[in-house]
Each structure stands twice: as C-alpha cells, then as structure tokens.
Amino acid sequence: MDQNDMLQMRLDQNYREYVAQLQGKPADELIALAPEITAAQQLRDELAAACSEEDATALLQFDDPLEKVRGFWLEEQDTTHGEQIGNMIWHLQQRGKSIPLKTSELSAKHTPPHLKRGQER
C-alpha cells in the first residue's frame, strides 16, 4: 500500500468522523455549514489522487489531514464568483443557448473576463 492509499484511508476515516459530528444538528446550522461540508466532500474525494507521494507523506503526519486542509480550501474558495458567473453566461451565449438579456443588461461582465470588450478570440 502506497502513501496515497494510506492518505485516502485516513481521509475516509476523517470524513466519517466529521459526518458523525454533524448528526443531530438543526437544519439551519447544516445549511450554514454547507460550504464546509462541500469542501470536506471534495477533499475526501480528490485530495489523495492529487497528491504526490511526498505530499501524501506530509499530510499523513496529521491526525486529521482533512480538517487541516479544509480550512485552507475554504479560504481559497472564499471569493466572489462574479467573474466566473460572467464567464459562464458568455459561454452559454456563444453556444447559442443564450439567456435572454435586454440590450441594456449587456455589459463587460458578460464577456470573458480575460478578454476586453472588442477583442476577438
């Protein structure tokens, strides 16, 4: 068994313990924890596969690598999504599945964020 397999086993165990802590919490508290829960799920599913053997070895030094990494993950995700939403809308429009927009609603936020108005792809 390599380090990545061992890390995956540890992440799975950490996730089971985390979910057990969530049991019995009221719905409004669970809803407020949705970003944290999603981060825990994504990291459990993807972290070990994304790590090198050295990274996995480093993470295995922690009793709960899922908790350690989850905080950093949430900080990275804690940005506004306006640019991503604008990019999504632009791509939908390019595919011919445009969202009906009034001409007055078209603005720079509906063009790809990495392109300035008037630039060609």
Side-chain angles (χ1 to χ4, degrees), residues 4-5 7 9-10 24 30 34 39 54 60 70-71 76 89:
N4 293 72
D5 292 336
L7 177 60
M9 288 175 45
R10 176 86 52 87
L30 290 172
E54 295 80 24
L60 283 167
R70 189 176 64 224
E76 286 294 314
I89 292 169

Side-chain angles (χ1 to χ4, degrees), residues 50-110:
C51 285
S52 67
E53 284 279 320
E54 295 80 24
D55 293 338
T57 300
L59 288 170
L60 283 167
Q61 294 177 26
F62 300 110
D63 289 331
D64 191 345
L66 183 62
E67 179 185 24
K68 294 288 185 191
V69 176
R70 189 176 64 224
F72 290 104
W73 182 261
L74 286 170
E75 286 177 21
E76 286 294 314
Q77 304 304 311
D78 191 23
T79 60
T80 61
H81 297 286
E83 184 175 301
Q84 294 157 332
I85 290 169
N87 194 21
M88 174 189 62
I89 292 169
W90 183 85
H91 282 286
L92 286 171
Q93 291 172 332
Q94 297 305 306
R95 292 181 185 159
K97 299 176 183 176
S98 66
I99 299 170
L101 295 174
K102 298 176 191 167
T103 307
S104 63
E105 292 175 328
L106 295 175
S107 68
K109 71 180 181 181
H110 297 296

